[in-house]
């Protein structure tokens, strides 16, 4: 019986070559996963406590991938040469060249886009674009602003990061930001007196503002406060049936108060009948829609106040009650004789309006209060307004008509006709258009200022956020208070949207169409096609 011989197989280096490819492939997969993690960190969806390990894992995986390819080339050089010299290599080299060219094109496009950033926002309220007021405020910054966002790992900073990125682009280098974990850096959190997660501190020179709700509107308001430090106090006169600034309501002025306070004003009420003195810190006094006349005692104080270089903002409403005009009102007499502004005892009728008793602005005068409203085509409107007559011959007083109506409007003086809704223009007694609704005056000697409106409803809570009404009132207060650098730096109110859930019937109908009807038609079509082919053999 022949002896059976056994031969031992020798392990060669070539047999280990595929292991190098496996190692390289696994390393590339790890590198791709690491890059995805870095992308999540960049867009703010993931915030690791330490990002160093991510970069370390990326470099190690890339290094291992290169080592794996080198081992493959070292253990099986013959197969590598055959691959490089074969048809696959030629086709692969063509594909590689096309891939490199495609990547270079993408790089060039991204560089061009990065150097020339542009965006399009198709939302109705421009929710994804910085408001003009924010951009104007950034342009007006006298010094650089640094924002510090204090966010723990439990709070998402994605929306704040998106806002800061947009602001940085538009700031012309005047805005920088950083994010700090208050738990990892408690000393810095204590330095800026941080007590709430997701807070932001804005620092400009030696001043700072704390934001606990870092929206764009709050950010703009904080910038305005940083730009205008110090106390600015305005008073709303009370005691004559004026509009309320404390309790919200359609006829109240609480929205105006809130916006003024956001611009670093201190807004208070003033009862001159009781106090008999105007506080020294008052910069302007606002008289919004009194229903009773100002007393002679109060007028003595108000005259002295204006002669001392301060300001009045007077807003008088029309009334359709017969003989309700305030012909004996000392305030109206003062405005007429001293400033040349007469508030007529009428009601503006505007045929161009859908409601004739609502006067619509047709043109603005050339004035700091209205210049931006005019350039941005922001209309304002005035429900139940009175007209003004301006005498520009008063010595030392410069008066500008701020708002005018269309030529076809007129000031109706027949109040009995108003009550019966039968108004027609009577040239002998009515005031012809175009009518002046608002006017601003300044005394060149005393620097006293007066702004008069034949209406107060336009700035009330129900109308404040409509069209240019709110901006007109706030700009008026800024100018009257001498804060001309703050005019037009009022943040806009974002448009709120409410989601209305569909009814149960609608949900049932949608479920039937998308879950039963459409899939059923697809399946029926497939079965019908199969049956046709089967019948044909």
């Amino acid at each position: 019986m022949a002896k059976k011989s056994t031969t031992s197989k020798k392990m060669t280096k070539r047999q280990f070559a595929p292991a190098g490819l496996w190692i390289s492939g696994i390393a590339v997969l790890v590198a791709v996963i690491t890059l995805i993690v870095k992308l999540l960190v960049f867009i703010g969806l993931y915030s690791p406590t330490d990002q160093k390990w991510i970069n370390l894992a990326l470099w190690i995986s890339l290094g291992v991938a290169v080592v794996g390819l080198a081992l493959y080339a070292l253990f099986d050089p013959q197969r590598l040469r055959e691959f490089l010299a074969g048809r696959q290599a030629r086709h692969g080299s063509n594909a590689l060249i096309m891939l490199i060219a495609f990547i270079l094109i993408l790089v060039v496009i991204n560089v061009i886009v990065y150097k020339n950033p542009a965006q399009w926002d198709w939302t109705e309220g421009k929710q994804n674009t910085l408001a003009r007021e924010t951009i104007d405020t950034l342009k007006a910054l006298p010094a650089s602003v640094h924002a510090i966002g204090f966010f723990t790992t439990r709070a998402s900073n994605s929306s704040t990061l998106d806002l800061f990125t947009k602001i940085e682009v538009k700031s012309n280098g005047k805005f920088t930001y950083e994010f700090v974990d208050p738990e990892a850096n408690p000393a810095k959190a204590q330095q800026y007196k941080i007590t709430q997660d997701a807070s932001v501190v804005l620092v400009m020179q030696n001043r700072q503002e704390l934001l606990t709700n870092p929206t764009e509107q709050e950010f703009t308001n904080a910038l305005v406060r940083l730009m205008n430090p110090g106390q600015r106090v305005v008073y709303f006169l009370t005691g004559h049936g004026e509009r309320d600034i404390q309790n919200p309501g359609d006829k109240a002025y609480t929205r105006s108060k809130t916006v003024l306070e956001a611009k670093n004003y201190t807004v208070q009420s003033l009862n001159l009948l009781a106090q008999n003195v105007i506080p020294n810190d008052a910069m302007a006094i606002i008289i919004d829609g009194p229903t009773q006349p100002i007393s002679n005692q109060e007028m003595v104080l108000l005259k002295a106040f204006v002669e001392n270089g301060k300001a009045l903002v007077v807003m008088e409403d029309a009334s359709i009650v017969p003989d309700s005009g305030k012909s004996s009102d000392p305030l109206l007499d003062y405005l007429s004789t001293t400033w040349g502004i007469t508030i007529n005892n009428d009601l503006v009728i505007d045929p161009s309006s859908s409601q004739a008793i609502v006067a619509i602005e047709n043109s603005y005068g050339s004035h700091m209060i209205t210049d931006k409203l005019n350039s941005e085509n922001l209309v304002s409107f005035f429900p139940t307004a009175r007209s003004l007559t301006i005498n520009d011959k008063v010595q030392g007083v410069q008066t500008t008509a701020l708002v005018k109506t269309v030529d076809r409007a007129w000031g109706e003086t027949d109040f009995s006709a108003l009550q019966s809704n039968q108004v027609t223009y009577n040239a002998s007694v009515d005031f012809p258009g175009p009518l002046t609704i608002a006017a601003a005056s300044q005394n060149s000697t005393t620097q006293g200022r007066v702004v008069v409106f034949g209406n107060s409803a336009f700035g009330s809570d129900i109308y404040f956020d409509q069209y240019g009404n709110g901006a007109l009132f706030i700009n008026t207060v800024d100018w009257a208070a001498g804060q001309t650098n703050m005019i037009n730096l009022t943040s806009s109110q974002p448009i709120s949207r409410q989601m209305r859930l569909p009814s149960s019937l609608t949900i049932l109908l949608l479920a039937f169409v998308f879950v039963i009807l459409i899939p059923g038609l697809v399946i029926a079509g497939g079965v019908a096609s199969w049956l046709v082919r089967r019948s044909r053999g």
Side-chain angles (χ1 to χ4, degrees):
M1 185 174 179
K3 184 186 273 188
K4 190 176 182 180
S5 63
T6 60
T7 60
S8 61
K9 296 182 178 179
K10 293 183 179 181
M11 299 296 291
T12 62
K13 292 190 295 181
R14 187 172 184 178
Q15 292 175 296
F16 290 102
L21 290 179
W22 278 102
I23 294 173
S24 182
I26 294 173
V28 170
L29 180 62
V30 172
V32 171
I33 295 174
T34 307
L35 285 173
I36 293 174
V37 173
K38 284 181 69 67
L39 177 62
L40 294 177
V41 172
F42 177 75
I43 63 179
L45 295 179
Y46 173 59
S47 300
T49 55
D50 186 8
Q51 297 187 21
K52 293 182 179 179
W53 68 267
I54 301 178
N55 296 326
L56 183 62
L58 177 62
W59 287 110
I60 290 176
S61 58
L62 291 176
V64 170
V66 173
V67 170
L69 292 175
L71 289 175
Y72 177 79
L74 180 64
F75 290 158
D76 197 351
Q78 179 63 30
R79 184 175 297 178
L80 180 63
R81 284 193 296 269
E82 292 175 356
F83 174 78
L84 294 177
R87 180 184 302 175
Q88 292 180 345
R90 289 195 299 271
H91 292 299
S93 62
N94 293 334
L96 180 62
I97 292 173
M98 293 180 65
L99 177 62
I100 293 174
F102 179 71
I103 293 175
L104 289 176
I105 291 173
L106 289 180
V107 169
V108 171
I109 293 175
N110 277 274
V111 169
I112 294 174
V113 172
Y114 179 78
K115 294 294 184 181
N116 303 276
Q119 62 180 11
W120 291 268
D121 186 357
W122 300 102
T123 59
E124 180 182 356
K126 301 300 180 184
Q127 303 293 325
N128 301 312
T129 304
L130 292 180
R132 278 198 193 95
E133 293 79 8
T134 302
I135 297 174
D136 290 342
T137 303
L138 291 171
K139 292 179 180 178
L141 285 175
S144 298
V145 174
H146 182 65
I148 308 173
F150 290 89
F151 289 77
T152 64
T153 55
R154 297 181 298 277
S156 172
N157 66 351
S158 58
S159 60
T160 305
L161 175 62
D162 180 60
L163 173 63
F164 285 175
T165 302
K166 296 175 185 175
I167 292 171
E168 185 181 34
V169 171
K170 297 292 185 179
S171 68
N172 197 23
K174 289 185 178 181
F175 177 77
T176 56
Y177 65 90
E178 64 175 309
F179 287 95
V180 175
D181 187 342
E183 294 178 347
N185 194 344
K188 197 160 190 175
Q190 186 176 6
Q191 175 187 353
Y192 290 99
K193 301 178 182 179
I194 300 301
T195 59
Q196 181 176 328
D197 197 1
S199 297
V200 172
V201 174
L202 300 182
V203 181
M204 185 171 72
Q205 296 175 334
N206 60 344
R207 301 187 297 276
Q208 64 184 51
E209 283 284 335
L210 175 64
L211 303 180
T212 55
N213 181 30
T215 62
E216 181 184 347
Q217 186 179 17
E218 293 299 322
F219 174 85
T220 306
N221 292 337
L223 284 186
V224 173
R225 293 193 293 270
L226 284 174
M227 294 164 56
N228 298 274
Q231 192 177 30
R232 282 176 294 280
V233 186
V234 295
Y235 288 87
F236 280 76
L237 196 66
T238 62
H240 316 87
E242 292 88 351
R243 295 178 182 268
D244 190 5
I245 65 169
Q246 303 297 339
N247 304 301
D250 288 351
K251 297 181 179 180
Y253 256 57
T254 57
R255 277 289 296 130
S256 301
K257 179 187 177 184
T258 300
V259 174
L260 287 172
E261 288 175 338
K263 297 187 72 171
N264 217 20
Y265 282 97
T266 299
V267 181
Q268 297 182 7
S269 299
L270 175 63
N271 188 335
L272 273 183
L273 288 170
Q275 299 181 17
N276 199 31
V277 64
I278 297 176
N280 293 329
D281 59 2
M283 304 179 74
I285 294 177
I286 303 165
I287 307 174
D288 58 335
T291 58
Q292 297 298 321
I294 308 298
S295 68
N296 289 317
Q297 174 188 350
E298 293 171 290
M299 279 311 307
V300 172
L301 298 173
L302 293 173
K303 286 179 184 178
F305 176 73
V306 177
E307 289 172 358
N308 197 31
K310 300 303 178 64
L312 287 180
V313 177
V314 180
M315 296 178 285
E316 292 274 352
D317 291 310
S319 174
I320 62 173
V321 179
D323 301 325
S324 64
K326 301 173 184 175
S327 57
S328 61
D329 190 330
L331 175 61
L332 303 189
D333 295 339
Y334 166 70
L335 294 173
S336 179
T337 57
T338 304
W339 295 93
I341 302 176
T342 300
I343 303 179
N344 300 319
N345 187 25
D346 63 354
L347 176 68
V348 176
I349 302 298
D350 189 347
S352 68
S353 173
S354 59
Q355 294 181 316
I357 61 173
V358 178
I360 298 178
E361 168 271 326
N362 181 59
S363 64
Y364 290 114
S366 179
H367 195 278
M368 294 183 68
I369 293 174
T370 53
D371 282 347
K372 190 171 183 181
L373 295 173
N374 196 24
S375 64
E376 294 183 357
N377 293 319
L378 282 174
V379 71
S380 52
F381 61 93
F382 307 86
T384 61
R386 302 170 72 170
S387 66
L388 310 179
T389 299
I390 297 176
N391 177 12
D392 55 6
K393 299 297 179 62
V394 178
Q395 186 175 3
V397 174
Q398 181 179 359
T399 303
T400 303
L402 297 178
V403 179
K404 286 191 174 184
T405 66
V406 295
D407 295 348
R408 293 182 294 134
W410 75 88
E412 181 64 48
T413 59
D414 186 354
F415 295 108
S416 59
L418 288 169
Q419 290 181 326
S420 61
N421 291 325
Q422 295 178 349
V423 293
T424 55
Y425 175 62
N426 186 341
S428 61
V429 293
D430 294 335
F431 295 92
L435 301 173
T436 300
I437 304 294
S441 292
Q442 182 170 7
N443 188 298
S444 58
T445 303
T446 64
Q447 298 305 310
R449 300 182 178 192
V450 166
V451 184
V452 181
F453 287 88
N455 183 252
S456 69
F458 80 98
S460 60
D461 289 359
I462 191 173
Y463 300 124
F464 183 87
D465 293 309
Q466 297 187 31
Y467 301 97
N469 283 20
L472 177 61
F473 176 75
I474 299 300
N475 287 357
T476 296
V477 176
D478 285 336
W479 182 81
Q483 306 300 302
T484 55
N485 61 322
M486 295 176 65
I487 294 178
N488 302 319
L489 298 184
T490 305
S491 61
S492 58
Q493 183 77 359
I495 298 175
S496 59
R497 291 286 180 265
Q498 294 182 349
M499 179 180 178
R500 295 184 178 180
L501 296 176
S503 64
S504 301
L505 180 62
T506 304
I507 294 176
L508 183 62
L509 180 62
L510 291 173
F512 172 76
V513 171
F514 291 102
V515 178
I516 299 176
L517 181 60
I518 295 178
L521 291 175
V522 173
I523 294 173
V527 171
S529 177
W530 176 73
L531 290 175
V532 169
R533 289 200 304 269
R534 184 178 180 184
S535 64
R536 293 175 180 176

